[in-house]
Amino acid sequence: MGTRMTANGVSTCQAGQEQYEKFQSGFGRKKRTLVQYDYREKASGELFSCMASTLDGCRSKRDSWLKQKGYTKQT
């Protein structure tokens, strides 16, 4: 399954930018919408990727990751 976030299975996220896309998981009445999120740190180029039920949830996880790694978010 291809997405607009990947090329040949590799994230296309550029340094200092974020990408996200919504998708549905499950089947029947048990479907739920999730957000796939990628963020590439500007200085090191390290990729952070996660899934959560909301974009705000993903960004919160990203901020925790940046804090743990000692990075500051650069917009």
Side-chain angles (χ1 to χ4, degrees), residues 2 4 6 9 12 17 20 25 28 32 34 40 43 45 47-48 50-52 56 61 63 65 67-68 70-71:
R4 64 179 171 81
T6 62
T12 58
Q17 295 183 349
Y20 61 90
S25 176
R32 51 184 239 175
L34 295 171
R40 190 170 299 273
L47 179 67
F48 171 77
C50 73
M51 285 187 288
D56 287 337
K61 289 180 181 183
D63 292 343
W65 175 78
K67 186 176 180 181
Q68 176 189 2
Y71 299 129

Side-chain angles (χ1 to χ4, degrees), residues 4-5 11-21 36-41 47-48 55-56 58-60 62-63 66 73-75:
R4 64 179 171 81
M5 292 176 48
S11 177
T12 58
C13 189
Q14 300 297 313
Q17 295 183 349
E18 65 180 16
Q19 288 183 319
Y20 61 90
E21 85 182 21
Q36 167 67 41
Y37 180 88
D38 285 352
Y39 172 78
R40 190 170 299 273
E41 208 284 315
L47 179 67
F48 171 77
L55 181 57
D56 287 337
C58 291
R59 287 178 174 156
S60 177
R62 176 210 54 206
D63 292 343
L66 287 170
K73 170 112 173 44
Q74 300 171 0
T75 56

Side-chain angles (χ1 to χ4, degrees), residues 24-37:
Q24 287 192 333
S25 176
F27 59 94
R29 287 191 262 168
K30 294 190 178 198
K31 282 186 184 176
R32 51 184 239 175
T33 300
L34 295 171
V35 178
Q36 167 67 41
Y37 180 88

